[in-house]
Amino acid sequence: MIWFLLANAAAAEDLVVILPGLGDSKAGREEMAQWGESLPGYTVVVPDYIARASVQASADNVAAFFEQTDTSAYEEVHVFAYILGTWSLNLFLEDHEIPGLKSIVYDRSPIQERAPAVVHRRLRCITRLMYGPLLGDLAGMDYPVYQPPEGVNTGLVIENRATSLMRKFRGTAEDMGPVTWDTEQFQHEANDAFYTWVNHDEMYSSFETIGPELLHFFETGRFTEGAERQPSDLDPWRKEP
């Protein structure tokens, strides 16, 4: 398995592992690289873990990455997981531990987490060509709940605005039930959480917005005092940023 090293490992004290999702792209990797290069004292790594076969196969690739990575060489390990990354990471953590793990930040979204089921229903032939069985597998899989051990901080970045794709299929998404913004729906006790007007597509290219929050959480176990801890009053389905 191949992964991208996005900073100078020899000079780093902490390891940051980013697990992207189905929105992974070359442009997004470039944003992650630029962010990694701006963090003295950190090595930022983005594993190529996504497997077309299934979420479990993706989780197995996460396992392979950590088996091949000597995390004990770093003072602390931090993980930032997008949606598919969250499912894959938690499946892996059901039966494994990451030595030196200090914090996990999960990207969550009441709207975007319906996207696999929505597009699997509306665009099944196209998405199967693009992603293989993976998308349908994710669409039918419940969230794998993981409660970390004492000493591991967990945070939630909650997307507060729909992508253009989800706006297009708003009716299908709302047929699945009302969209709510309470943190309890994420089935995860977290040390802290904040809401961002950045939508899921933009999460891959907005490290100038989310990057400082991630770094502050890695260092303190909390997001900044200025982080928005209540959902926006604006219509989450609106197009305008």
Side-chain angles (χ1 to χ4, degrees), residues 121 152 170 200 205 230 237 241:
R121 184 184 309 176
V152 177
R170 177 177 177 176
H200 191 70
S205 59
Q230 296 295 326
W237 299 97

Side-chain angles (χ1 to χ4, degrees), residues 137-185:
D137 185 47
L138 182 60
M141 180 177 291
D142 291 334
Y143 175 67
V145 177
Y146 167 70
Q147 296 301 335
E150 185 176 355
V152 177
N153 299 318
T154 58
L156 304 178
V157 180
I158 305 170
E159 301 166 11
N160 207 167
R161 184 164 62 95
T163 62
S164 59
L165 176 68
M166 293 306 287
R167 290 198 305 272
K168 181 177 180 179
F169 296 122
R170 177 177 177 176
T172 305
E174 292 184 327
D175 285 345
M176 299 171 65
V179 174
T180 60
W181 299 100
D182 60 283
T183 57
E184 287 79 9
Q185 68 186 294

Side-chain angles (χ1 to χ4, degrees), residues 204-220:
Y204 288 88
S205 59
S206 297
F207 277 82
E208 74 284 354
T209 299
I210 64 172
E213 294 295 342
L214 295 176
L215 184 60
H216 195 273
F217 190 90
F218 297 157
E219 294 178 345
T220 68

Side-chain angles (χ1 to χ4, degrees), residues 3-192:
W3 59 86
F4 288 88
L5 182 63
L6 301 182
N8 184 0
E13 297 178 354
D14 284 16
L15 175 66
V16 177
V17 179
I18 300 178
L19 297 176
L22 298 177
D24 191 19
S25 67
K26 180 180 178 181
R29 292 293 181 106
E30 290 174 353
E31 289 283 342
M32 294 171 189
Q34 291 175 11
W35 181 62
E37 291 167 359
S38 73
L39 304 181
Y42 289 85
T43 292
V44 177
V45 178
V46 187
D48 280 334
Y49 76 97
I50 298 175
R52 287 168 58 90
S54 66
V55 180
Q56 183 60 60
S58 300
D60 292 342
N61 286 342
V62 172
F65 165 76
F66 280 108
E67 287 172 1
Q68 297 174 50
T69 303
D70 182 12
T71 60
S72 64
Y74 300 89
E75 289 191 7
E76 295 179 342
V77 179
H78 314 278
V79 182
F80 174 46
Y82 288 79
I83 294 173
L84 176 60
T86 289
W87 263 245
S88 302
L89 176 68
N90 283 6
L91 283 175
F92 160 68
L93 288 173
E94 286 179 351
D95 301 311
H96 301 81
E97 294 182 355
I98 301 174
L101 180 64
K102 182 61 177 180
S103 54
I104 306 173
V105 177
Y106 296 100
D107 173 26
R108 303 299 301 270
S109 170
I111 296 176
Q112 191 65 25
E113 288 177 17
R114 301 182 186 196
V118 167
V119 299
H120 184 63
R121 184 184 309 176
R122 299 293 301 272
L123 302 170
R124 183 171 304 186
C125 292
I126 295 174
T127 55
R128 189 167 181 85
L129 285 173
M130 293 176 62
Y131 303 112
L134 173 61
L135 193 73
D137 185 47
L138 182 60
M141 180 177 291
D142 291 334
Y143 175 67
V145 177
Y146 167 70
Q147 296 301 335
E150 185 176 355
V152 177
N153 299 318
T154 58
L156 304 178
V157 180
I158 305 170
E159 301 166 11
N160 207 167
R161 184 164 62 95
T163 62
S164 59
L165 176 68
M166 293 306 287
R167 290 198 305 272
K168 181 177 180 179
F169 296 122
R170 177 177 177 176
T172 305
E174 292 184 327
D175 285 345
M176 299 171 65
V179 174
T180 60
W181 299 100
D182 60 283
T183 57
E184 287 79 9
Q185 68 186 294
F186 299 122
Q187 300 176 268
H188 204 295
E189 294 183 7
N191 295 83
D192 202 1

